[in-house]
Amino acid sequence: MGEPLPLVLLVDDEKHALESMRMALEDDFDCLAAPNAEGAMSLMRDNPVQVIFCDHRMPGKNGVSFLTEVREQWPDTVRIIITGYTETSDMIDAINDAGIYQLITKPWHPDHLVMAAKNATDLFRLNRENEQLSLEMRYLSRSVENKLSEQRKILREGLGFENVLRSTNSPLNPVISQARQFAGFDIPVLITGENATGKADIARAMHYRSLRADRPFYVLDCIGIDDTIIEEELFGVRGSAGGQIARTGLLQKASRGTLFIDNLSELSPRLQLMLSRALQEGKYRRVGNHSPQHIDVRIIAGTEKDLRQCVTDGSFRNDLFYAVSAAELTVLPLRDRIEDIPILADAILAEAANTHGKIVRGLSDEVLSFFARYDWPGNLKELENELVRMLVLAQGPILGPELISRHILQAEPAARKTDGNLDRLLMAEGALKERIEAVETRILRETLTRLKWNKSRAACELGLSRVGLRAKIDRYGLAEPDTTSRSEED
């Protein structure tokens, strides 16, 4: 079956007029007929009429009054009036009052009637399609808006403070609590801490917790970069006929967003002055451009040095210091948050395993024990490098202490509190015998751990007899880890 024909309603009090209209239209349309307005209104309630042809002069309610009511109840139906009279002013009022699409005068020609009906049904279809498209656009607009909101929420959660990994009792928790408070206020924040302690992660989390979360977040690290490059990165380049390419600076790219400037103390005095003026005046000039560029950016700065001391000794401008330090945070080094190492190590190892395509289940307790007694001068980056190295060397799903680097294995349990460095130990005061024994203990522990406590191999490598090695193990109180399986010594 084909598509149904468009439905047309014919209204006229003269029977032969109705029959004539039906005969002209019935090949292309389904036709309903009514002798008056009341009958036509009843048919309208029960049928999806697209077009009405209505005589103007009828007993009772005339065509204009009827079509006016139709307009109120079925505004999409196309209304055409037929009249044998030429009261021009009346017809103009009728067209306005009833929203009439077309006026046909008597006598009409059948082809004229058919053409009018086809144009009217096309108009009805186009109006419906337009309405449908409008509905779809409104729905899509809401749908896109909802999806964007959901994506923003996911982004905030994925890059928020939940991404700053730490244990439930982490010493970092008070710092994160402060950062959460500062995040919601549009003020500059100075984050102090050693390199690779996660200052950028905290800055990013603050951005995605702020009112600027929907705008961009950029990072600029000033360490080891030439002055000219930093100036172009920050302020941009105008471009010139000589071939210099125009470039937008980060102060403009991060407009209404956040710019994290790490190692701020490394800026030269000239750049310190330029940045200080830009932040205080809210505008700057690009390289090669005399017209000012206005900025609206939140600055979060990172530094490894004590900027207050740098201001005191004259190596850092005091006006720039106060421009970036409305609030201050201090991020702890990894050696002061040993409680966080297990969760950090698990996350780093999982990501590294996925990147390098190796299946691992985790670290042994012995590994975590050795990690806990080490200082981690390189902080999170050193931990990441160590875990990747261990992953590459691993032969099984559990990474054991034999894979740990020797300098970590040799670290003393109290290394963080006393002379953990070998050079310090050698320079320390005390009896020669005690100092030699301290070094010997570290060498024995490292060698036995690396060789999985295979005492025969350890004695051979150290140039000792098995009896001599056992004596030293007993003397220094070195305990073999309790494991359910162990390689044979011989």
Side-chain angles (χ1 to χ4, degrees):
M1 293 180 62
E3 292 186 5
L5 295 174
L7 185 60
V8 175
L9 173 60
L10 311 174
V11 187
D12 201 310
D13 60 313
E14 296 182 7
K15 188 174 182 180
H16 73 276
L18 284 178
E19 192 61 31
S20 297
M21 286 191 289
R22 183 193 297 275
M23 290 176 63
L25 299 173
E26 63 184 359
D27 289 342
D28 299 296
F29 305 92
D30 285 335
C31 298
L32 297 174
N36 51 47
E38 289 74 17
M41 191 63 75
S42 178
L43 290 173
M44 285 294 296
R45 294 189 188 99
D46 298 330
N47 297 277
V49 175
Q50 297 186 16
V51 181
I52 299 176
F53 287 90
C54 183
D55 186 30
H56 177 47
R57 294 295 181 95
M58 297 183 298
K61 190 176 293 183
N62 65 27
V64 171
S65 299
F66 167 65
L67 293 179
T68 301
E69 290 185 13
V70 170
R71 181 185 189 182
E72 293 173 356
Q73 297 187 49
W74 298 278
D76 290 343
T77 301
V78 182
R79 299 165 294 281
I80 298 174
I81 197 163
I82 301 174
T83 180
Y85 301 89
T86 57
E87 298 95 340
T88 306
S89 59
D90 290 346
M91 287 302 100
I92 291 174
D93 291 339
I95 289 172
N96 291 333
D97 292 342
I100 291 172
Y101 166 65
Q102 189 173 354
L103 182 148
I104 298 177
T105 58
K106 297 178 182 180
W108 44 262
H109 190 279
D111 291 343
H112 184 201
L113 200 69
V114 171
M115 182 60 66
K118 287 184 176 179
N119 290 339
T121 54
D122 285 344
L123 177 63
F124 180 87
R125 177 180 54 80
L126 289 173
N127 285 339
R128 281 295 174 91
E129 289 177 355
N130 182 63
E131 182 180 344
Q132 181 66 26
L133 284 173
S134 297
L135 287 172
E136 289 177 0
M137 288 299 292
R138 285 197 293 270
Y139 170 77
L140 286 173
S141 177
R142 287 195 298 270
S143 178
V144 169
E145 178 111 9
N146 291 338
K147 286 181 180 178
L148 284 174
S149 297
E150 189 64 26
Q151 287 175 352
R152 292 187 189 112
K153 180 182 177 183
I154 292 171
L155 189 61
R156 291 190 191 101
E157 290 176 351
L159 298 173
F161 288 104
E162 296 77 10
N163 198 48
V164 183
L165 296 179
R166 60 200 185 281
S167 62
T168 54
N169 60 338
S170 170
L172 193 62
N173 286 340
V175 180
I176 298 301
S177 179
Q178 274 192 315
R180 286 180 187 273
Q181 288 183 289
F182 296 150
F185 294 89
D186 205 19
I187 57 174
V189 179
L190 176 65
I191 305 177
T192 303
E194 296 178 10
N195 281 333
T197 49
K199 297 190 293 292
D201 289 337
I202 293 176
R204 184 178 289 105
M206 291 178 68
H207 168 72
Y208 285 107
R209 188 66 179 260
S210 73
L211 297 176
R212 297 175 179 261
D214 291 339
R215 306 302 298 175
F217 174 82
Y218 285 95
V219 176
L220 174 64
D221 193 340
C222 301
I223 196 165
I225 302 179
D226 183 75
D227 250 23
T228 304
I229 296 176
I230 294 179
E231 182 177 355
E232 292 178 357
E233 285 291 321
L234 266 178
F235 301 99
V237 180
R238 178 188 180 189
S240 66
Q244 190 175 26
I245 300 174
R247 186 195 309 172
T248 303
L250 291 177
L251 287 174
Q252 200 66 35
K253 285 183 179 179
S255 180
R256 295 165 58 197
T258 303
L259 174 60
F260 175 58
I261 307 177
D262 201 7
N263 290 294
L264 185 69
S265 60
E266 301 304 308
L267 287 181
S268 67
R270 184 176 70 88
L271 287 180
Q272 289 181 34
L273 175 60
M274 291 177 64
L275 181 58
S276 177
R277 285 179 175 173
L279 297 181
Q280 292 183 61
E281 297 173 7
K283 58 185 178 181
Y284 69 96
R285 289 176 173 82
R286 286 194 298 180
V287 178
N289 194 351
H290 296 294
S291 59
Q293 299 283 327
H294 293 273
I295 59 173
D296 174 14
V297 61
R298 182 185 192 180
I299 297 294
I300 300 179
T303 177
E304 185 179 8
K305 297 179 180 178
D306 181 352
L307 283 192
R308 291 183 183 275
Q309 183 59 44
C310 292
V311 169
T312 301
D313 61 31
S315 62
F316 196 82
R317 296 183 63 90
N318 65 341
D319 53 355
L320 180 56
F321 171 76
Y322 291 114
V324 299
S325 61
E328 296 182 52
L329 295 169
T330 301
V331 183
L332 301 174
L334 191 55
R335 61 181 171 274
D336 291 335
R337 44 183 292 218
I338 294 300
E339 300 90 336
D340 297 342
I341 286 182
I343 190 170
L344 288 167
D346 283 345
I348 294 171
L349 186 60
E351 184 175 348
N354 182 61
T355 300
H356 298 285
K358 290 196 73 170
I359 299 176
V360 295
R361 292 207 301 268
L363 304 168
S364 71
D365 291 340
E366 297 167 79
V367 169
L368 295 176
S369 177
F370 277 102
F371 279 5
R373 61 167 61 105
Y374 181 59
D375 262 354
W376 299 105
N379 293 299
L380 296 175
K381 189 60 183 175
E382 184 180 7
L383 176 62
E384 179 184 351
N385 289 348
E386 181 64 21
L387 288 167
V388 171
R389 174 188 166 278
M390 292 173 65
L391 175 71
V392 171
L393 296 175
Q395 299 297 317
I398 300 295
L399 276 59
E402 71 279 358
L403 301 171
I404 300 176
S405 296
R406 298 181 71 170
H407 67 282
I408 297 177
L409 288 175
Q410 290 179 7
E412 282 291 332
R416 291 180 291 117
K417 301 174 184 177
T418 58
D419 298 320
N421 186 285
L422 180 59
D423 292 334
R424 292 182 182 179
L425 180 61
L426 295 175
M427 297 295 294
E429 296 180 357
L432 177 62
K433 181 173 179 291
E434 293 176 355
R435 292 159 67 188
I436 290 176
E437 286 178 350
V439 174
E440 194 171 42
T441 301
R442 294 169 62 177
I443 293 174
L444 287 170
R445 181 186 294 107
E446 179 271 323
T447 304
L448 288 165
T449 302
R450 178 165 44 83
L451 299 178
K452 299 183 180 181
W453 279 77
N454 186 313
K455 299 183 185 66
S456 295
R457 292 179 59 193
C460 181
E461 180 176 312
L462 296 171
L464 300 171
S465 67
R466 284 171 54 93
V467 174
L469 177 61
R470 287 183 181 277
K472 288 183 180 293
I473 289 173
D474 293 339
R475 178 180 178 182
Y476 298 132
L478 300 176
E480 180 177 0
D482 182 18
T483 57
T484 55
S485 61
R486 176 71 63 189
S487 299
E488 290 293 330
E489 292 184 4
D490 298 313

